[in-house]
């Protein structure tokens, strides 16, 4: 079945017929036409969260809605800024998120910190990590425990423990990379480490 409409990922804010879209590695403002365009696949109308629009005589549609409507999985690779419809080549697949540590013994510093702070028992740490991975708990919880522990280690003049905590935190955070707060929490952790703790070492 031939598709004449160009499938394109709709990006940016739409207001008064003007969109900001990606252009190579930058952005540019374009003047687009909105006509309440409907998408119908095999006689069935497809609902979309982003409204299709016309630019320079070409109709642009939200790719995820169209892909799903025609039975194709849509995959976004942020590393290469590439959208895949259907199968993703092996060479283009992103590495899987590291699995969470199987036991608290693989995160000895975190185990020590949570016992000291009474955040949870050592036996409850795997459950805590599982809750963060599932999104029930925020990734900020892990960051806060490490930061407080590092602060106390430096106060106790134990730079070795502080450095070990920083190194281990990379593994702990990587294991919860699917958490919605992961990116922001990791960024805050790095900022505080670089600005507040590293100068004390």
């Amino acid at each position: 079945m031939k598709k004449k409409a160009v499938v394109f990922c709709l990006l940016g804010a739409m207001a008064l017929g003007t969109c900001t879209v990606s252009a190579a590695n930058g952005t540019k403002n374009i003047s687009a036409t909105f006509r309440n365009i409907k998408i119908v696949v095999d006689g069935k109308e497809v609902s979309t969260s982003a409204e299709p629009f016309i630019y320079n005589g070409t109709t642009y549609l939200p790719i995820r809605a169209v892909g799903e409507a025609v039975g194709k999985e849509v995959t976004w690779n942020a590393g290469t800024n590439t959208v895949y419809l259907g199968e993703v080549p092996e060479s283009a697949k992103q590495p899987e998120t590291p699995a969470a540590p199987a036991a608290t013994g693989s995160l000895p510093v975190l185990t020590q910190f949570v016992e000291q702070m009474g955040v949870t028992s050592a036996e409850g740490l795997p459950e805590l990590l599982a809750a963060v991975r599932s999104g029930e708990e925020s990734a900020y919880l892990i960051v806060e425990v490490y930061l407080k522990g590092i602060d106390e280690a430096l106060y106790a003049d134990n730079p070795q423990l502080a450095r070990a905590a920083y190194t281990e935190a990379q593994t702990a955070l990587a294991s919860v990379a699917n958490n919605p707060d992961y990116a922001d929490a990791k960024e805050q952790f790095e900022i505080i480490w670089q600005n507040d703790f590293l100068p004390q070492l």
Side-chain angles (χ1 to χ4, degrees):
M1 181 172 64
K2 293 183 180 179
K3 303 286 182 187
K4 292 187 178 180
V6 175
V7 179
F8 186 79
C9 184
L10 181 61
L11 301 172
M14 295 180 287
L16 301 176
T18 301
C19 295
T20 301
V21 298
S22 174
N25 288 325
T27 60
K28 68 176 182 179
N29 290 326
I30 64 171
S31 182
T33 303
F34 294 90
R35 293 185 179 163
N36 195 25
I37 298 170
K38 295 177 177 60
I39 303 172
V40 179
V41 177
D42 294 333
K44 183 177 179 182
E45 185 172 342
V46 178
S47 61
T48 64
S49 58
E51 185 180 350
F53 65 91
I54 300 170
Y55 170 63
N56 280 352
T58 300
T59 303
Y60 291 84
L61 310 175
I63 195 168
R64 186 167 300 280
V66 175
E68 291 173 355
V70 297
K72 295 289 185 181
E73 184 177 355
V74 179
T75 305
W76 168 250
N77 185 320
T80 60
N81 292 326
T82 305
V83 177
Y84 293 95
L85 285 177
E87 186 177 348
V88 178
E90 284 296 326
S91 60
K93 288 183 178 177
Q94 300 183 82
E96 293 184 5
T97 301
T104 58
S106 58
L107 293 173
V109 178
L110 183 59
T111 302
Q112 177 182 336
F113 286 167
V114 297
E115 287 177 343
Q116 289 173 348
M117 298 171 203
V119 176
T120 182
S121 66
E123 293 75 19
L125 185 54
E127 288 78 10
L128 175 63
L129 290 170
V132 174
R133 288 199 312 276
S134 69
E136 293 176 29
E137 294 284 354
S138 171
Y140 278 104
L141 181 58
I142 292 177
V143 166
E144 288 171 5
V145 172
Y146 274 111
L147 290 177
K148 185 174 180 184
I150 292 170
D151 187 51
E152 292 182 0
L154 290 173
Y155 181 77
D157 197 23
N158 191 345
Q160 294 85 1
L161 179 58
R163 288 185 183 278
Y166 173 77
T167 301
E168 185 186 281
Q170 307 306 311
T171 301
L173 286 170
S175 75
V176 298
N178 289 333
N179 187 278
D181 296 328
Y182 163 76
D184 290 339
K186 187 174 190 307
E187 181 182 13
Q188 288 301 312
F189 177 77
E190 292 294 339
I191 290 172
I192 294 172
W193 169 261
Q194 294 290 334
N195 295 338
D196 297 340
F197 295 145
L198 196 56
Q200 300 181 53
L201 296 174

